[in-house]
C-alpha cells in the first residue's frame, strides 16, 4: 500500500498559498534553485547591500516627501515658520519645502533621512566599485555587469543632482546656474540645449517640474531596472570569492542563501535603516531656510554641493578664466568646457573602458571567479589609486575657500597648489603604489621560500649563527603562490615569410607597448622547484637531523649567512 495522501486542506495558510502559486506559476523550482545559491562570507560584499538598502530607504522616504512637495516655480508670498522666511516672496517649490520641514509632522526628519540615504547610497556605490576594481571582479564573464554598475553610478549622480535642485533655494539655484553655464559651453549646440532644458532663458518656469519628473519617475525607474539586471548577473555568474585554500574558479566556498543569508540580509537592512534614521534625527543637513529662496544676485560664501559632485566644483575652480575664443562666430569657453566636460569625461571613460583594456593587453579569455590580491596586479592598483588621488584633489579644490578661511591661508596659493597637484599627485601616487605592491610581492616570495622570522637565533658548534624561521601553513602558502603574473604580449613579426607587411601589425604593436606598461615590472609566483631548491642546504641537512633540540628540517644561505626552519605547531615541517 502506498503512503496516505495528505489533504491540502490540512496544510497551513503559508503552505497552501505556496502550493497555489506553484501549481499556477511553477515558481517552486526557481525558488529552490535560488535558495541553494552559495555566497562567500566576507565583509566587503556588504558594500553592495548597503547601496541597495539605502536605495530602498530613498524610495520609502521619497514617497512620503512627494505627497507634500509642490513642483512649481510660481511665486507666492509665504506665511509660516520659520520667522525669517515669513512674508517673503518665493516659489511654491521652496514654500512647500518649508511647509514640509516645519508644519508636517515628521517632515523634517523624512527630509533629512532622504538626504542622508542619498549620500550613503553614492558612498556605497563608489566604495563597492573600488572593491570590484582593485580585486579584478570585473574580468570575464562580468564585464557587462561592470558596465551596469557604472551606469548605476551615473544614474545615482543624476538622481542626487535632480533631487537637491528641487527646493529652489539659493544653493540649489546656483547649482542650476552652473549647470546652465556648462551646457552653454558645449560648442555649437550648447545654447540650443540650454533653451531645451530650461524652456527658455535661465531660469525659466519649467525646470523644477521637469527635474521633479526625472527625480521621482525616470531616474528611479532606470535604477530599479539596472539593479534587477545587476542582481540577475550576480546569480547567473555565481559570486566571486577571495583567494584561499580550496577556492577555485569551479566552486564557491560559503553559505547558502536560505536560511543563512536571508537572515543576515534581513537583519542588515534594519541596521542600515536604523543608522540612516539616527543620522537624520541627530545631524542637520540641507537647511534651506538658511539660504533663502533662489535669487540670481547673491552667491553665498562656503557653498558646496554634495560630496559626490564636489569634484566637478573643484575642477571648475582650478581652471584659469582667460581661456575664451571666438571661432566663426561661436564662443569656445575652454574655462568651462575643459573642467566641466573634458576632465569628468576622461575620468568616467577610464572607469568604463578599463575592463576591456586590461582584457586586450592580457589576451586572457578564461573565466575568473577568484579575486585578485591588489598587490599581485601592481599597475591596476596604481592606476586605481591615481584615479582616487585625482578625485580627492578635485574634491578638496571644491572647498578651497573653506580651507583658506579655516587655516588662514591665501586662496590663490591654495588654488595653485591644487593645480600642480592635479597633474603631479596622480603620477606620484601611481609610482608609490606600484613600488609598494612589488615590494609586498617580493616579501611574499621570501615568506614562501623561507617562512616567518621568529627572532630566535641559534649558534652552531663551529660558531655560525642561524635565525630560526617558522614555515607557512597550507592556507598562507596557497594565498601567496596561486596567482598568474601576466607577461607582456608576444606578437608576430611585421612581415610574413614573403616579406609582405602583415595586416594588423600596428594595432598589435600598440597593444604590445601597452602590455609592457602593465606587466614589464612583475614578480613571478614561487614555483615548486624554487621551494625545493630553498630546502636544499648541504651540510645543514646533517646538522638539522642531529639537532634534536630544534628539530631542524631545512635552511638556505641568505646574504652570506643562513637560517633554519623550525617545525610548526602541528609537528609538520613540510613546506
Amino acid at each position: 500500500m502506498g503512503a496516505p495522501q495528505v489533504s491540502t486542506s490540512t496544510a497551513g495558510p503559508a503552505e497552501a498559498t505556496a502550493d497555489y502559486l506553484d501549481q499556477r506559476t511553477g515558481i517552486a523550482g526557481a525558488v529552490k534553485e535560488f535558495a541553494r545559491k552559495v555566497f562567500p562570507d566576507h565583509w566587503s560584499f556588504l558594500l553592495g547591500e548597503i547601496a541597495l538598502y539605502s536605495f530602498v530607504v530613498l524610495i520609502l522616504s521619497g514617497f512620503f516627501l512627494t505627497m507634500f512637495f509642490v513642483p512649481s516655480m510660481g511665486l507666492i508670498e509665504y506665511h509660516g515658520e520659520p520667522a525669517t522666511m515669513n512674508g517673503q516672496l518665493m516659489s511654491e517649490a521652496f514654500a512647500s519645502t518649508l511647509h514640509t520641514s516645519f508644519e508636517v509632522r515628521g517632515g523634517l526628519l523624512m527630509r533629512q533621512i532622504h538626504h542622508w540615504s542619498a549620500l550613503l547610497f553614492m558612498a556605497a556605490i563608489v566604495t563597492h566599485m573600488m572593491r570590484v576594481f582593485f580585486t579584478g571582479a570585473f574580468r570575464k564573464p562580468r564585464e557587462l555587469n561592470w558596465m551596469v554598475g557604472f551606469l548605476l553610478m551615473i544614474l545615482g549622480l543624476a538622481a542626487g543632482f535632480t533631487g537637491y535642485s528641487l527646493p529652489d533655494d539659493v544653493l540649489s539655484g546656483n547649482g542650476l546656474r552652473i549647470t546652465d553655464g556648462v551646457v552653454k559651453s558645449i560648442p555649437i549646440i550648447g545654447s540650443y540645449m540650454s533653451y531645451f532644458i530650461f524652456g527658455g532663458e535661465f531660469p525659466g518656469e519649467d525646470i523644477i517640474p521637469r527635474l521633479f519628473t526625472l527625480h521621482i519617475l525616470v531616474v528611479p525607474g532606470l535604477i530599479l531596472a539596472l539593479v534587477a539586471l545587476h542582481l540577475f548577473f550576480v546569480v547567473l555568474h555565481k559570486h566571486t570569492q577571495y583567494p584561499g585554500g580550496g577556492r577555485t574558479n569551479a566552486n564557491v566556498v560559503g553559505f547558502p542563501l536560505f536560511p543563512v543569508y536571508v537572515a543576515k540580509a534581513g537583519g542588515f537592512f534594519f541596521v542600515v535603516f536604523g543608522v540612516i534614521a539616527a543620522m537624520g534625527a541627530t545631524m542637520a543637513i540641507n537647511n534651506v531656510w538658511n539660504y533663502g529662496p533662489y535669487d540670481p544676485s547673491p552667491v553665498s560664501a562656503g557653498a558646496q554641493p554634495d560630496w559626490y559632485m564636489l569634484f566637478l566644483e573643484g575642477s571648475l575652480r582650478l581652471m584659469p578664466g582667460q581661456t575664451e575664443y571666438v571661432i566663426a562666430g561661436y564662443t569656445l569657453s575652454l574655462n568651462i568646457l575643459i573642467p566641466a566636460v573634458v576632465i569628468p569625461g576622461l575620468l568616467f571613460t577610464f572607469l568604463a573602458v578599463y575592463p576591456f583594456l586590461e582584457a586586450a593587453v592580457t589576451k586572457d579569455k578564461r573565466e575568473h571567479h577568484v579575486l585578485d590580491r591588489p598587490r599581485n596586479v601592481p599597475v591596476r592598483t596604481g592606476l586605481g589609486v591615481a584615479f582616487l588621488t585625482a578625485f580627492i584633489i578635485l574634491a578638496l579644490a571644491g572647498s578651497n575657500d573653506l580651507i583658506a578661511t579655516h587655516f588662514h591661508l591665501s586662496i590663490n596659493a591654495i588654488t595653485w597648489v591644487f593645480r600642480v597637484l592635479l597633474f603631479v599627485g596622480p603620477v606620484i601616487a601611481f609610482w608609490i603604489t606600484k613600488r609598494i605592491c612589488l615590494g609586498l610581492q617580493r616579501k611574499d616570495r621570501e615568506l614562501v621560500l623561507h617562512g616567518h622570522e621568529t627572532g630566535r637565533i641559534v649558534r652552531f658548534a663551529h660558531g655560525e649563527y642561524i635565525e630560526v624561521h617558522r614555515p607557512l601553513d597550507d592556507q598562507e602558502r596557497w594565498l601567496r603562490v596561486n596567482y598568474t603574473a601576466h607577461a607582456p604580449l608576444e606578437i608576430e613579426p611585421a612581415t610574413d615569410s614573403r616579406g609582405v607587411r602583415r595586416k594588423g601589425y600596428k594595432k598589435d604593436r600598440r597593444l604590445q607597448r601597452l602590455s609592457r606598461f602593465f606587466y614589464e615590472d612583475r614578480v613571478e609566483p614561487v614555483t615548486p622547484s624554487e621551494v625545493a631548491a630553498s630546502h636544499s642546504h648541504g651540510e645543514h641537512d646533517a646538522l638539522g637531523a642531529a639537532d634534536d633540540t630544534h628539530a631542524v628540517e631545512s635552511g638556505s644561505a641568505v646574504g652570506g649567512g643562513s637560517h633554519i626552519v623550525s617545525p610548526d605547531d602541528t609537528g609538520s615541517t613540510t613546506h
Side-chain angles (χ1 to χ4, degrees):
M1 294 177 63
Q5 297 293 325
V6 179
S7 174
T8 56
S9 61
T10 62
E15 292 86 345
T17 303
D19 182 66
Y20 179 89
L21 291 174
D22 182 45
Q23 290 185 26
R24 287 156 180 81
T25 63
I27 198 174
V31 171
K32 180 180 179 181
E33 182 66 25
F34 187 69
R36 293 173 59 187
K37 290 294 281 189
V38 175
F39 290 88
D41 196 24
H42 194 274
W43 66 267
S44 66
F45 297 135
L46 298 178
L47 295 170
E49 293 186 30
I50 293 175
L52 176 62
Y53 301 154
S54 301
F55 183 67
V56 173
V57 177
L58 276 170
I59 295 295
L60 296 175
S61 56
F63 177 77
F64 177 91
L65 296 174
T66 302
M67 293 188 289
F68 302 99
F69 182 73
V70 180
S72 170
M73 299 181 72
L75 296 178
I76 63 171
E77 184 176 325
Y78 179 73
H79 296 284
E81 295 292 338
T84 54
M85 296 290 104
N86 190 41
Q88 289 200 31
L89 193 66
M90 61 184 65
S91 68
E92 289 186 86
F94 188 77
S96 65
T97 303
L98 294 179
H99 174 74
T100 303
S101 301
F102 291 95
E103 305 294 337
V104 176
R105 189 179 299 274
L108 181 59
L109 175 63
M110 281 298 179
R111 278 193 62 234
Q112 297 193 155
I113 286 177
H114 192 71
H115 205 122
W116 278 118
S117 57
L119 298 183
L120 185 61
F121 175 64
M122 285 306 303
I125 286 180
V126 172
T127 313
H128 179 61
M129 290 191 70
M130 287 168 53
R131 197 275 301 173
V132 171
F133 181 88
F134 285 117
T135 60
F138 53 75
R139 293 171 297 169
K140 183 181 177 181
R142 296 177 178 82
E143 301 96 332
L144 292 180
N145 213 11
W146 169 263
M147 291 302 300
V148 171
F150 171 77
L151 291 176
L152 280 170
M153 183 187 69
I154 300 298
L155 287 172
L157 295 176
F161 173 76
T162 56
Y164 72 64
S165 298
L166 290 179
D168 199 30
D169 60 306
V170 169
L171 183 62
S172 64
N174 283 325
L176 286 173
R177 185 52 144 172
I178 294 173
T179 303
D180 179 53
V182 171
V183 171
K184 286 180 177 177
S185 72
I186 300 174
I188 302 178
I189 64 172
S191 59
Y192 301 102
M193 290 181 62
S194 174
Y195 266 70
F196 172 75
I197 292 171
F198 291 94
E201 250 336 303
F202 177 87
E205 296 181 353
D206 300 326
I207 187 62
I208 296 299
R210 291 178 178 180
L211 290 177
F212 183 71
T213 302
L214 290 172
H215 185 67
I216 71 164
L217 182 63
V218 179
V219 176
L222 292 174
I223 290 177
L224 281 171
L226 289 178
V227 166
L229 183 59
H230 189 69
L231 296 176
F232 170 76
F233 278 137
V234 169
V235 175
L236 178 67
H237 295 146
K238 76 182 180 182
H239 210 293
T240 55
Q241 57 186 336
Y242 283 90
R247 298 175 183 179
T248 68
N249 286 320
N251 67 4
V252 178
V253 178
F255 298 96
L257 178 68
F258 186 84
V260 178
Y261 274 100
V262 169
K264 283 189 174 184
F268 191 55
F269 168 75
F270 289 105
V271 170
V272 173
F273 203 154
V275 169
I276 294 174
M279 294 172 68
T282 59
M283 302 180 187
I285 190 170
N286 198 26
N287 298 327
V288 294
W289 51 91
N290 289 336
Y291 307 110
Y294 178 63
D295 183 343
S297 56
V299 178
S300 59
Q304 280 81 28
D306 287 336
W307 72 267
Y308 48 84
M309 298 296 290
L310 199 55
F311 78 100
L312 186 59
E313 173 83 7
S315 182
L316 287 165
R317 294 189 184 191
L318 293 185
M319 186 69 186
Q322 295 76 27
T323 50
E324 287 191 351
Y325 304 94
V326 178
I327 302 174
Y330 292 96
T331 301
L332 187 63
S333 302
L334 296 181
N335 57 327
I336 300 177
L337 185 67
I338 291 178
V341 178
V342 176
I343 290 180
L346 291 175
L347 292 176
F348 289 137
T349 300
F350 168 80
L351 281 181
V353 306
Y354 183 84
F356 307 97
L357 183 66
E358 185 174 296
V361 298
T362 58
K363 298 293 184 182
D364 188 359
K365 305 297 184 182
R366 299 172 301 160
E367 288 194 0
H368 295 275
H369 303 292
V370 178
L371 300 174
D372 284 328
R373 300 176 77 203
R375 67 180 64 183
N376 293 334
V377 277
V379 172
R380 181 207 295 160
T381 305
L383 289 173
V385 173
F387 177 89
L388 291 176
T389 301
F391 180 86
I392 292 171
I393 290 172
L394 290 176
L396 291 174
S399 303
N400 59 353
D401 53 345
L402 294 178
I403 296 174
T405 56
H406 280 68
F407 295 96
H408 307 289
L409 300 172
S410 166
I411 192 171
N412 292 325
I414 294 172
T415 301
W416 273 105
V417 167
F418 283 134
R419 284 173 178 170
V420 174
L421 282 178
L422 182 60
F423 293 96
V424 177
V427 177
I428 295 175
F430 170 80
W431 183 82
I432 291 175
T433 303
K434 180 181 176 183
R435 303 318 303 177
I436 290 174
C437 289
L438 291 172
L440 290 172
Q441 283 184 278
R442 294 188 181 98
K443 178 62 177 178
D444 283 345
R445 282 185 60 87
E446 180 73 15
L447 287 173
V448 172
L449 293 174
H450 307 301
H452 293 286
E453 297 178 356
T454 64
R456 291 177 54 208
I457 305 298
V458 176
R459 183 188 181 200
F460 287 100
H462 60 277
E464 181 182 8
Y465 286 91
I466 303 292
E467 181 181 6
V468 179
H469 282 215
R470 178 176 57 82
L472 276 65
D473 59 32
D474 293 339
Q475 292 287 341
E476 290 180 296
R477 189 181 311 107
W478 180 271
L479 186 65
R480 288 167 171 80
V481 302
N482 189 37
Y483 70 94
T484 301
H486 292 285
L489 290 178
E490 297 291 339
I491 63 174
E492 298 179 7
T495 58
D496 59 20
S497 58
R498 297 174 295 176
V500 179
R501 189 168 184 84
R502 182 171 61 84
K503 185 179 180 180
Y505 172 75
K506 290 185 177 179
K507 177 183 177 182
D508 290 347
R509 183 63 178 162
R510 288 193 296 268
L511 287 177
Q512 185 183 48
R513 291 196 186 101
L514 193 58
S515 70
R516 285 178 179 172
F517 165 74
F518 272 87
Y519 302 115
E520 192 165 29
D521 294 332
R522 65 188 186 279
V523 177
E524 298 287 346
V526 177
T527 63
S529 59
E530 289 177 312
V531 174
S534 72
H535 290 181
S536 177
H537 45 78
E539 63 180 15
H540 287 170
D541 286 331
L543 291 172
D547 190 353
D548 294 332
T549 303
H550 300 292
V552 180
E553 185 215 40
S554 63
S556 66
V558 181
S562 52
H563 69 267
I564 58 179
V565 180
S566 66
D568 57 21
D569 295 336
T570 62
S572 172
T573 57
T574 304
H575 274 263

